[in-house]
Amino acid sequence: MTYAPEHTIEGPTLERAASRKRSSAAGRRPRCRDTRWPEVAAALAALRAAKRCSVRIVDADCGAGSLLLCAVRFARSLGFTAIEARGVDTAPALVDRARAAAATVRDPAIGITFERGEPIAALCEESDFPADIVLWHGGRGANASTADRAAVRAGRAVIADHPPYRRAAA
């Protein structure tokens, strides 16, 4: 006697159900509660519409990295094939949480690093090779304008909690 499922043409039904589940999950957009999320999603969509295949995102003062991770996942769902992300924060506990969350992202197209450091110093480092998108809470305190200028130099699109420093037109 032969086993009937071995001789079917369509293959097992569980495999088809799993592939439908994967395709519907890929079509969903990640949810992010950060108020900057609509701007991040729009900037990524604009880059992809411009036929870009790679993207570089820097999050200065990233906290636990939730916005950066949402951006990375969304970029991948848009079809970016090379995604580089860097998060910087001063709090060691938050950086550790961000690293733990990033360890769950298993995609060879995505490279994520989280490091402890001063956000303003990280932005200054980025000015040599500006990122496509810089996520920034905006300068606070006495050095607010200096920090905002550093953010503008560090990326092509700066997404901040308040409008970043703009150079006056000459």
Side-chain angles (χ1 to χ4, degrees), residues 57-152:
I57 307 167
V58 174
D59 189 353
D61 202 15
C62 67
S66 59
L67 179 61
L68 185 57
L69 290 169
C70 278
V72 164
R73 289 183 179 113
F74 184 65
R76 188 65 174 134
S77 74
L78 288 176
F80 284 95
T81 56
I83 303 160
E84 182 183 343
R86 177 184 181 207
V88 180
D89 201 284
T90 55
L94 292 175
V95 171
D96 289 341
R97 284 180 50 198
R99 286 178 181 156
T104 63
V105 178
R106 302 184 194 283
D107 189 333
I110 298 172
I112 305 173
T113 58
F114 286 100
E115 55 197 57
R116 186 171 178 263
E118 283 296 322
I120 296 173
L123 290 173
C124 291
E125 291 170 10
E126 293 294 330
S127 64
D128 291 337
F129 299 103
D132 296 304
I133 299 172
V134 173
L135 306 175
W136 171 242
H137 284 293
R140 298 179 193 120
N143 293 331
S145 63
T146 303
D148 286 341
R149 282 193 297 270
V152 169

Side-chain angles (χ1 to χ4, degrees), residues 1-3 9 12-13 31 37 41 46 56 64 92 97 103 112 117 122-123 134 152 156 168:
M1 181 168 228
T2 61
Y3 183 63
I9 295 172
T13 58
R31 292 184 182 174
W37 175 247
R56 189 161 175 270
R97 284 180 50 198
I112 305 173
L123 290 173
V134 173
V152 169
R156 293 179 180 94

Side-chain angles (χ1 to χ4, degrees), residues 26-44:
R28 281 191 309 224
R29 295 190 172 173
R31 292 184 182 174
C32 188
R33 294 184 192 150
D34 195 294
T35 58
R36 297 170 290 168
W37 175 247
E39 291 178 76
V40 173
L44 287 168

